[in-house]
Amino acid sequence: MNVDTPGRQLLFSTVRITNVLNSGIPTSGTGFLLFVDLAEEGRISPLLVTNKHVVANSSRLTAHFIRRKSDVDEPDLGQGVDVTLSPTDWIGHPDASVDVAVVPLASIFQQHGHLLFTRALPMSLLATEITSLYTDAIEEISFVGYPDGRHDPKHLTPIVRRGITATPLDLDLGGNPTFLVDGSVFGGSSGSPVFLFNEGAYRGPGGLHLGTRIALVGIIAQTWVRGDALPIEVAAPHVKIAKELNLGVAFNSRAIKQTVEVFAAVAGLELRIAPAENPVAIDPTNETSTPLT
């Protein structure tokens, strides 16, 4: 499979995460790869972005990658590589109510990178970094992940779903850095990246624009349930379908950026945001890039 289109690159930007809690209960969620450019020229740092509740209280934490073919830069579909993550190495957003976390992956790629087929997304893809981004009150969104821990059993690729924004992206839901998604959000969807992804044409100021629009606008964290005053987390196992309202809660791109900035401060790194005009996905192993538009 030649991973040469924006859609295919998004497909390989996610990994399935399994967490055996300290209580012995197994859960699953999603994470996606983000690379940050560092002020020191030529240096990047790969991160796994997910939710705090996906990685917290862990006795055993595992990221499930798709294997890279040994002779060509392509995924060896159906062949997986399970990488053990440190249960304590993740860094969360400083606000306890903001359910976003990052796991540094530099050492993982130094040790296992030759085995892993991935595409890391640039920080410049965050909606916060795209100054020309226009969003309407209702937008079609795409999110990629592993609902109920499921994936294509033959190829190990994730599940792509679509929905619409149920609240405007530029209005913080309840004063929190969140928005609602009208789409099926099940256990295991936690940590799924949420994109504006339009190919061919998209709405903009003044009408329809030709071309491709892609922006990382948030991360799935919770689902709303009938009879509950608050959303509930969606790391599998999850509530029964009969109780779900088909509404998901996503933390916005600002919350993701703030969490990355905390990581950089803790690690003593200085970030450099690349221009947003021509975003590229990066292979974290050999640092080759592929255009996303």
Side-chain angles (χ1 to χ4, degrees):
M1 182 181 188
N2 192 6
V3 183
D4 57 355
T5 67
R8 289 184 176 186
Q9 291 179 77
L10 298 185
L11 195 69
F12 290 95
S13 68
T14 64
V15 297
R16 185 168 58 92
I17 300 171
T18 54
N19 181 0
V20 178
L21 302 178
N22 291 323
S23 63
I25 297 174
T27 67
S28 68
T30 300
F32 64 92
L33 288 126
L34 191 72
F35 75 87
V36 294
D37 287 287
L38 303 179
E40 184 178 338
E41 189 64 30
R43 285 192 63 200
I44 67 169
S45 181
L47 300 173
L48 181 63
V49 184
T50 186
N51 301 125
K52 294 174 182 175
H53 75 263
V54 170
V55 293
N57 304 314
S58 177
S59 65
R60 187 168 70 250
L61 194 62
T62 307
H64 304 271
F65 292 83
I66 292 176
R67 181 176 291 272
R68 177 196 298 270
K69 288 183 178 180
S70 59
D71 56 344
V72 64
D73 184 25
E74 292 181 3
D76 192 358
L77 296 174
Q79 301 300 312
V81 179
D82 297 342
V83 176
T84 300
L85 304 176
S86 169
T88 59
D89 278 355
W90 59 274
I91 297 168
H93 190 284
D95 186 334
S97 66
V98 177
D99 193 4
V100 182
V102 297
V103 182
L105 291 182
S107 62
I108 295 296
F109 278 101
Q110 288 171 0
Q111 184 176 358
H112 303 288
H114 64 289
L115 299 174
L116 312 177
F117 187 88
T118 61
R119 289 294 184 263
L121 305 174
M123 281 280 288
S124 60
L125 205 64
L126 289 172
T128 54
E129 308 310 303
I130 307 175
T131 56
S132 61
L133 184 65
Y134 170 85
T135 60
D136 207 339
I138 303 171
E139 291 281 357
E140 185 177 60
I141 50 93
S142 303
F143 49 104
V144 187
Y146 305 88
D148 197 32
R150 298 175 187 270
H151 50 76
D152 179 337
K154 179 176 175 61
H155 303 106
L156 305 184
T157 48
I159 307 298
V160 181
R161 316 191 83 166
R162 282 199 160 177
I164 62 170
T165 54
T167 59
L169 290 169
D170 53 359
L171 295 182
D172 287 358
L173 177 68
N176 300 309
T178 57
F179 60 93
L180 283 182
V181 170
D182 185 356
S184 298
V185 176
F186 296 98
S189 295
S190 281
S192 295
V194 184
F195 299 100
L196 297 178
F197 180 42
N198 310 104
E199 290 185 293
Y202 58 92
R203 289 196 310 274
L208 200 63
H209 293 240
L210 298 180
T212 296
R213 178 180 70 162
I214 180 169
L216 176 56
V217 296
I219 179 173
I220 297 290
Q222 301 168 316
T223 186
W224 267 6
V225 176
R226 292 192 193 104
D228 285 79
L230 296 173
I232 66 166
E233 297 167 349
V234 287
H238 61 86
V239 297
K240 294 184 181 299
I241 294 174
K243 290 187 177 181
E244 293 179 349
L245 289 174
N246 221 43
L247 291 173
V249 180
F251 284 89
N252 62 27
S253 58
R254 188 174 75 254
I256 297 173
K257 181 181 180 181
Q258 290 169 344
T259 308
V260 172
E261 289 173 339
V262 171
F263 152 75
V266 170
L269 301 173
E270 185 179 350
L271 302 181
R272 178 180 66 88
I273 305 298
E277 287 76 14
N278 299 296
V280 296
I282 291 286
D283 180 334
T285 301
N286 55 34
E287 299 187 8
T288 57
S289 62
T290 309
L292 277 165
T293 56

